[in-house]
Amino acid sequence: MLTLPAPARRLPRRRGIAPAQAIALGFGAAILVGTALLMLPFSSRSGVWTNFVDALFTSTSAVCVTGLIVVDTATYWSPFGKVVILLLIQLGGLGIMLFAALIGFALARKLSVRSRIFAGTETKSTGVGDMKRTAIGILITTVIIEAAVATVLFVRFWTGYDYDVGRAAWHAVFHAVSSFNNAGFALYTDSLIGFVSDPWICIPICIAIILGGLGFPVLRQLRKEFRNPLHWSMNTRIVLVATLVLLTLGTGFTVVVEWDNPGTLGPLDPASRMLAGFFHSVQARTAGFNSVDTSLMHDETWLVTDVLMFIGGGPAGTAGGIKVTTFAVLLFIMWTEFRGGTAVNVFGKRLSRSVHREAITVVIVALAAVMSAVIAILAMTDLDLDRVLFEVVSAFGTVGMSTGITADLPAAAQLILVLLMFLGRLGPLTLGSALALRQRQTAYELPKERPAIG
């Protein structure tokens, strides 16, 4: 009897790790390393071990450039612990994959295709061949802006507040890095309330926050074609216009509502009130510093701040939120529907239909995450909805502003905020892609049908 050979067994195809998965794993690894370092006795000023939840929360807040804290940065952490936080902020701001690509370039003098793709996913760059210049350009831009802001702050701390050279330099560098990366960590127990009337401190920090929040693609195009606005991309135009509008509206609303509030702007002179209102509006772009007591603001200000924090800054930068481009796309879609149009046109160009779906998906996922967290924390505590919503949106938007309830939350609620900070930094679609096991493509389309809307 003739026995036929068994058919060769087909080996399963090995799948490489997707860029989004690599970014999520990179951020997760950095958070765990930071947690381990912050737990060590010499990371705390008292020399005791820091419990896991506090260390994890602080590490996540630093890597995800948020700024929410459960222990006082100024008094709890030792110099070593503060340096660890500063490094985690810088690492999270640049992006884990971009950092890895830069290290690989320094060692091997070249970027692999995989490293370029990873860095491109993090920086939203187009074109694999351009990643080498993009990575170097991002690093140079970061160093220049942080150095410039640190220089101004150093001079002010040294000459205006009688800091010695070492202390002035340390405070200048820390707050320059924290501001450009939209982190919001401060070396003062009351954040920057002590400098509420000092434009030489507040304005440089605001400039760094705004530049970081614009996003690297916008900064790059402005550097190359600042005098040729007709050549600006749709992304650059949307980010700049939306940033200007939101900053103006946020400043005006805060100043008007809080003008006579004795707990915030009331005790200040008119010029300082305007400065504090502008400063608060800038912080809502996901920075997280505060120059007045946020917990004493009116409920209306909290709600508007919630909206600003949820929107966030520009894509591919150091800001969080759903991004101003996502918010603007939804507005343009709505305006087109109101006018009965068929195509969404933005600044003389037609918007791709895939962008419609992406924007809607981002907003739905973000709203689901925020609402789920609010419901869960309300069930765990007896806190008011206003404060819980503010805290949750601040965590998801990687902002860091707080009404003062973070440290008093139960450990389970703090872990929910940790997950929100992680989700907010990576972005709903990026995290969803990282968690997806595979992508399925169908070879057919189903017949169309239109349900009733509204």
Side-chain angles (χ1 to χ4, degrees):
M1 182 177 180
L2 181 62
T3 302
L4 296 176
R9 183 179 180 183
R10 180 176 295 178
L11 296 176
R13 178 182 296 178
R14 297 182 61 184
R15 295 180 179 270
I17 185 171
Q21 291 174 321
I23 294 172
L25 292 174
F27 269 80
I31 289 171
L32 292 179
V33 171
T35 301
L37 291 175
L38 292 176
M39 289 179 66
L40 298 175
F42 45 82
S43 290
S44 64
R45 181 170 292 184
S46 60
V48 300
W49 288 86
T50 300
N51 70 71
F52 174 75
V53 174
D54 288 349
L56 175 65
F57 193 100
T58 304
S59 178
T60 305
S61 185
V63 173
C64 297
V65 291
T66 305
L68 285 174
I69 57 174
V70 289
V71 294
D72 183 22
T73 306
T75 59
Y76 183 85
W77 301 109
S78 67
F80 175 81
K82 293 173 183 176
V83 170
V84 170
I85 292 174
L86 181 65
L87 293 177
L88 292 176
I89 291 172
Q90 189 70 84
L91 192 62
L94 285 173
I96 300 300
M97 289 302 101
L98 178 58
F99 183 82
L102 290 171
I103 294 298
F105 174 69
L107 296 177
R109 304 299 297 173
K110 64 179 180 180
L111 287 173
S112 65
V113 173
R114 181 173 296 274
S115 295
R116 293 178 185 181
I117 294 175
F118 287 167
T121 303
E122 173 63 15
T123 61
K124 306 292 188 300
S125 299
T126 57
V128 174
D130 193 45
M131 276 315 306
K132 177 176 172 181
R133 292 190 300 273
T134 299
I136 296 176
I138 288 174
L139 182 60
I140 293 175
T141 300
T142 300
V143 171
I144 290 176
I145 294 176
E146 290 178 352
V149 174
T151 300
V152 176
L153 295 179
F154 168 77
V155 173
R156 185 56 178 168
F157 284 135
W158 185 33
T159 61
Y161 294 92
D162 295 327
Y163 287 11
D164 59 61
V165 174
R167 186 187 181 195
W170 165 240
H171 280 239
V173 171
F174 188 95
H175 291 96
V177 173
S178 183
S179 58
F180 177 70
N181 289 284
N182 280 224
F185 279 88
L187 295 178
Y188 305 95
T189 301
D190 60 355
S191 190
L192 299 179
I193 292 179
F195 307 101
V196 61
S197 300
D198 191 344
W200 292 101
I201 298 294
C202 293
I203 296 299
I205 286 178
C206 285
I207 292 175
I209 292 167
I210 293 171
L211 292 177
L214 290 179
F216 292 110
V218 175
L219 293 177
R220 182 180 183 183
Q221 185 162 52
L222 290 178
R223 179 175 60 85
K224 291 184 175 181
E225 299 181 279
F226 180 77
R227 297 184 178 181
N228 298 301
L230 294 178
H231 296 169
W232 293 352
S233 66
M234 181 190 296
N235 179 76
T236 297
R237 296 183 183 187
I238 290 177
V239 170
L240 291 178
V241 172
T243 297
L244 179 61
V245 171
L246 292 176
L247 285 177
T248 303
L249 293 178
T251 301
F253 186 89
T254 302
V255 170
V256 171
V257 175
E258 298 293 327
W259 186 267
D260 294 324
N261 186 343
T264 56
L265 304 186
L268 304 175
D269 61 81
S272 296
R273 294 181 192 183
M274 295 298 299
L275 177 61
F278 173 71
F279 191 85
H280 178 77
S281 180
V282 172
Q283 306 317 304
R285 296 185 53 74
T286 80
F289 296 108
N290 60 284
S291 61
V292 295
D293 192 345
T294 309
S295 66
L296 299 179
M297 286 182 164
H298 293 308
D299 293 348
E300 309 93 288
T301 309
W302 282 352
L303 183 58
V304 170
T305 304
D306 289 339
V307 175
L308 295 176
M309 292 190 298
F310 186 77
I311 296 173
T318 57
I322 62 171
K323 304 299 187 292
V324 293
T325 46
T326 303
F327 179 70
V329 165
L330 292 181
L331 290 181
F332 282 116
I333 292 175
M334 182 179 67
W335 178 246
T336 302
E337 288 297 318
F338 284 159
R339 298 184 62 184
T342 57
V344 179
N345 300 318
V346 181
F347 296 124
K349 295 183 180 179
R350 183 171 57 87
L351 196 66
S352 171
R353 291 190 179 275
S354 62
V355 177
H356 303 188
R357 298 191 298 269
E358 291 175 7
I360 294 171
T361 303
V362 167
V363 173
I364 292 176
V365 171
L367 288 174
V370 168
M371 290 299 101
S372 299
V374 168
I375 294 172
I377 295 178
L378 285 175
M380 297 177 187
T381 66
D382 57 356
L383 295 169
D384 296 334
L385 173 61
D386 292 338
R387 292 182 181 272
V388 173
L389 179 62
F390 191 96
E391 210 77 10
V392 167
V393 175
S394 180
F396 175 80
T398 67
V399 181
M401 283 196 289
S402 173
T403 59
I405 66 173
T406 313
D408 297 327
L409 291 174
Q414 292 177 353
L415 290 177
I416 290 176
L417 295 183
V418 167
L419 291 176
L420 281 174
M421 289 187 286
F422 189 77
L423 174 63
R425 179 65 183 102
L426 296 182
L429 288 182
T430 303
L431 185 60
S433 176
L435 297 177
L437 296 177
R438 62 179 179 176
Q439 294 181 348
R440 299 175 59 186
Q441 295 182 348
T442 57
Y444 58 89
E445 290 186 356
L446 297 175
K448 293 182 180 180
E449 187 173 348
R450 182 186 178 94
I453 301 297

